[in-house]
Amino acid sequence: MLIRKPSDVLPSDITPEAVYRDRRRLMLQAGLAASALGMSGWAGRRAFAAEAAPRTTGVKLAATRNANYVVMDKVTPFKDISSYNNFYEFGTDKTDPFDNAGRFKTTPWSVTIDGEVAKPQTIGLDDLRRLAPLEERIYRLRCVEGWSMVIPWTGYSLRELIRRVEPTGNAKFVEFTTVVQQDTMTGLRTRVLDWPYVEALRMDEAMHPLTLLTFGVYGETLPNQNGAPVRIVVPWKYGFKSGKSLVRIRFVEKQPVTSWIKAAPQEYGFYANVNPDVPHPRWSQATERRIGEDGLFTPKRKTLPFNGYADQVASLYAGMDLKRYY
Ligand SMILES: Nc1nc2c(c(=O)[nH]1)N[C@H]1C(S)=C(S)[C@@H](COP(=O)(O)O)O[C@H]1N2
Ligand SMILES: [Mo]
């Protein structure tokens, strides 16, 4: 198999079929958004411009930057964010999600909120997106595999949603479930994980303002490979806690058994807080490779406790042995 770096993927490398597929999808999406806004001329130009950059959805998402949640590191190029991905439902290679997620269907979309809440409901994507003002935030993302990126996400704190559904006193954990789309998710055949992909947070983690219900990246709606149309982002934890393409958010009393714990409990813990002092059984977590800036002589970066968010989140774990609760 050909191994390519994301930076080596040029528009000319993409097969005509994929270009056609992507172009059609972009025009549909741009057209839909634009007709809703009464801006069809603008949409036509967007769709045309997007041809040369098939990684983008071409659908802008207005948001206000929240300076309280902006890290100062250089932002990772969009081409890396959108072509170097983990989304095992589309395959386990880093470029599989980009290569294979073109047929993924994100409309219509709704998310079911249920379990221990006074107001269980199924919310359509548009209503969910309008629930609270959208913010742009620049977060570090640290994968358990030892690489990291700096990503400008668009979304709002998950707590905005949680408040509105009124959790009961029994709600101790929040479980996030990714969609299973048999006809488009080519990776489901490989039984690496027990689908659907399920992740979870403790209630106080889910309520933390950093935990972002995310609808976009780089000012546009999420590309399929990044978890369209809605995902969670938990920046102080390893990337696998940030489930993509969510269809269910359930409030429960007992700690859920997540997909990664089911697959390899000795390797992946429930907390998964970024921690340079707790190695993964097969590799160190002390350093990381920043995607997009790695060359032969680029030194690795030191990984920071809680991925650099210790000031904001360390108190959630006061008194806990983080080597035991990894
Ligand atoms: N449904 C689903 N969500 C997922 C994954 C996955 O395989 N399936 N991979 C996780 C991992 S390991 C990481 S590092 C991040 C990567 O997000 P990104 O591709 O947008 O950078 O998504 C997480 N969310
Ligand atoms: Mo990851």
Side-chain angles (χ1 to χ4, degrees), residues 22-254:
D22 221 62
R23 194 172 134 195
R24 193 160 165 278
R25 184 172 55 85
L26 285 168
M27 303 216 303
L28 280 171
Q29 289 180 346
L32 279 177
S35 58
L37 297 165
M39 301 165 69
S40 44
W42 173 85
R45 282 197 301 280
R46 278 302 303 171
F48 183 76
E51 276 183 43
R55 291 172 188 85
T56 86
T57 64
V59 181
K60 295 260 181 259
L61 209 52
T64 311
R65 177 171 291 200
N66 186 333
N68 295 323
Y69 300 100
V70 171
V71 297
M72 288 305 143
D73 308 25
K74 189 163 156 276
V75 175
T76 303
F78 181 70
K79 73 171 180 356
D80 295 321
I81 291 173
S82 59
S83 62
Y84 188 96
N85 301 99
N86 275 338
F87 200 165
Y88 278 15
E89 288 88 333
F90 293 104
T92 52
D93 285 354
K94 290 290 169 281
T95 51
D96 280 346
F98 170 66
D99 289 339
N100 301 334
R103 285 172 50 234
F104 186 56
K105 292 191 290 276
T106 57
T107 43
W109 196 276
S110 60
V111 179
T112 297
I113 323 276
D114 61 352
E116 292 290 344
V117 288
K119 295 181 172 171
Q121 54 196 286
T122 294
I123 312 181
L125 182 71
D126 288 341
D127 290 336
L128 187 63
R129 206 155 54 190
R130 278 194 290 259
L131 207 83
L134 294 177
E135 295 180 1
E136 183 175 65
R137 302 183 180 186
I138 303 181
Y139 281 173
R140 290 186 206 90
L141 177 121
R142 171 59 156 82
C143 179
V144 74
E145 297 164 336
W147 51 267
S148 63
M149 297 194 196
V150 180
I151 307 184
W153 299 114
T154 301
Y156 55 76
S157 292
L158 177 67
R159 63 197 281 175
E160 298 289 341
L161 170 64
I162 295 179
R163 276 200 204 113
R164 287 166 172 85
V165 297
E166 298 176 15
T168 72
N170 294 331
K172 301 286 193 297
F173 295 90
V174 187
E175 181 191 79
F176 305 91
T177 305
T178 293
V179 74
V180 171
Q181 223 173 75
Q182 288 293 348
D183 52 334
T184 66
M185 290 175 143
T186 46
L188 296 175
R189 279 173 294 200
T190 56
R191 302 245 143 238
V192 270
L193 292 174
D194 187 10
W195 316 111
Y197 191 102
V198 171
E199 257 309 332
L201 296 171
R202 214 169 59 186
M203 194 65 181
D204 58 342
E205 298 175 323
M207 285 294 286
H208 194 283
L210 275 170
T211 301
L212 195 71
L213 192 65
T214 304
F215 300 89
V217 65
Y218 260 92
E220 295 189 354
T221 55
L222 288 169
N224 294 346
Q225 59 271 29
N226 291 94
V230 57
R231 69 178 296 177
I232 203 79
V233 175
V234 194
W236 71 95
K237 294 176 179 284
Y238 293 116
F240 70 86
K241 296 296 292 183
S242 296
K244 295 179 168 180
S245 305
L246 301 180
V247 288
R248 188 176 187 191
I249 299 177
R250 187 162 71 111
F251 293 75
V252 295
E253 187 159 14
K254 295 211 177 69

